[in-house]
Amino acid sequence: MIGAFRRVGKSWVSKVFLALIISSFAVWGIADVFRGFAAQDLVTVGNVRVGSEQYRRDLNAELGRYTQQTGTPFTLEQARAIGLDQQVFDRLVNAAVLDDKAIDMGLVIADSQIANEMASEPRFQGAGGKFDPTLFRAALLKAGLTENGFLSSEKTNRLRLALSNVASSDVKLPRTLVEALLRYRNETRDGRYFTFTV
């Protein structure tokens, strides 16, 4: 049988067929093979993309919180059983709706506004009552954040809060946006656990 494959492989028909396969990869590309599947988007809301890596990070953070609360490792199967994976996904989609709306409206939060608020925060002030950068950096380090990461996160969260506040006012907004804003704003968590006695 291997001999038959070798004979067919030497024919001009098989060479043309192989050339067609190679050229199709050249035309349409094989980028997914090199990129991997982790880089793909789970959902796109307008101009905002929610990637699988972000979903994985947020889900792992939730698993960590549940593990810390219960004192025992909380598995992905347990998370799926209580719908935690869907809650994380819904939260990311709702946040993407808010982010996209902020982009459409051209809303931004100035870096200086956040810097001024952090400078006036009592927990970041030294003995003289002035802003102490070492206290600020120590708090960031404890939270596992960089200054740029903190700044970006604060700006995003403040824009989301501003938009969700608008949704609860008398301004007429599209129904889908209002529903997403209300889900984001009124999100609650329900933790349940049980223990075995031996």
Side-chain angles (χ1 to χ4, degrees), residues 32-43:
D32 287 343
V33 172
F34 299 111
R35 241 188 327 179
F37 295 102
Q40 293 190 1
D41 299 331
L42 290 178
V43 67

Side-chain angles (χ1 to χ4, degrees), residues 54-99:
Q54 183 180 3
Y55 173 74
R56 186 191 62 77
R57 259 194 329 267
D58 287 11
L59 183 58
N60 284 338
E62 284 297 315
L63 291 174
R65 282 189 205 101
Y66 273 75
T67 297
Q68 188 176 15
Q69 289 173 357
T70 61
T72 58
F74 199 76
T75 66
L76 186 57
E77 289 77 25
Q78 291 170 312
R80 286 187 179 128
I82 64 169
L84 184 64
D85 57 335
Q86 188 61 45
Q87 290 174 23
V88 170
F89 180 76
D90 290 346
R91 192 178 323 134
L92 286 170
V93 171
N94 292 339
V97 168
L98 295 173
D99 294 346

Side-chain angles (χ1 to χ4, degrees), residues 5-193:
F5 283 135
R6 286 186 182 149
R7 281 191 302 276
V8 170
K10 291 180 181 180
S11 72
W12 67 273
V13 174
S14 64
K15 290 178 183 177
V16 169
F17 182 69
L18 189 58
L20 285 172
I21 291 175
I22 291 171
S23 63
S24 70
F25 281 119
V27 171
W28 287 288
I30 54 172
D32 287 343
V33 172
F34 299 111
R35 241 188 327 179
F37 295 102
Q40 293 190 1
D41 299 331
L42 290 178
V43 67
T44 301
V45 179
N47 297 318
V48 179
R49 293 180 174 155
V50 177
S52 57
E53 182 61 28
Q54 183 180 3
Y55 173 74
R56 186 191 62 77
R57 259 194 329 267
D58 287 11
L59 183 58
N60 284 338
E62 284 297 315
L63 291 174
R65 282 189 205 101
Y66 273 75
T67 297
Q68 188 176 15
Q69 289 173 357
T70 61
T72 58
F74 199 76
T75 66
L76 186 57
E77 289 77 25
Q78 291 170 312
R80 286 187 179 128
I82 64 169
L84 184 64
D85 57 335
Q86 188 61 45
Q87 290 174 23
V88 170
F89 180 76
D90 290 346
R91 192 178 323 134
L92 286 170
V93 171
N94 292 339
V97 168
L98 295 173
D99 294 346
D100 183 59
K101 194 63 179 171
I103 291 168
D104 286 347
M105 297 173 72
L107 300 177
V108 291
I109 302 282
D111 293 354
S112 58
Q113 179 183 350
I114 296 172
N116 290 337
E117 288 180 23
M118 292 303 107
S120 63
E121 182 71 35
R123 62 186 165 149
F124 301 135
Q125 293 176 354
K130 291 188 175 182
F131 177 72
D132 185 352
T134 56
L135 291 175
F136 178 68
R137 288 189 189 106
L140 290 180
L141 185 64
K142 185 176 179 182
L145 295 170
T146 63
E147 286 185 45
N148 288 338
F150 170 77
L151 187 63
S152 175
S153 174
E154 276 296 302
K155 289 163 80 171
T156 301
N157 289 336
R158 289 172 191 226
L159 284 173
R160 288 174 185 164
L161 182 61
L163 283 171
S164 64
N165 286 339
V166 168
S168 62
S169 68
D170 293 336
V171 177
K172 187 70 175 163
L173 295 173
R175 182 176 169 212
T176 54
L177 176 61
V178 172
E179 289 172 359
L181 293 170
L182 290 174
R183 277 196 308 268
Y184 178 77
R185 190 171 199 198
N186 297 327
E187 177 185 6
T188 58
R189 293 189 179 108
D190 182 20
R192 299 177 190 175
Y193 67 94

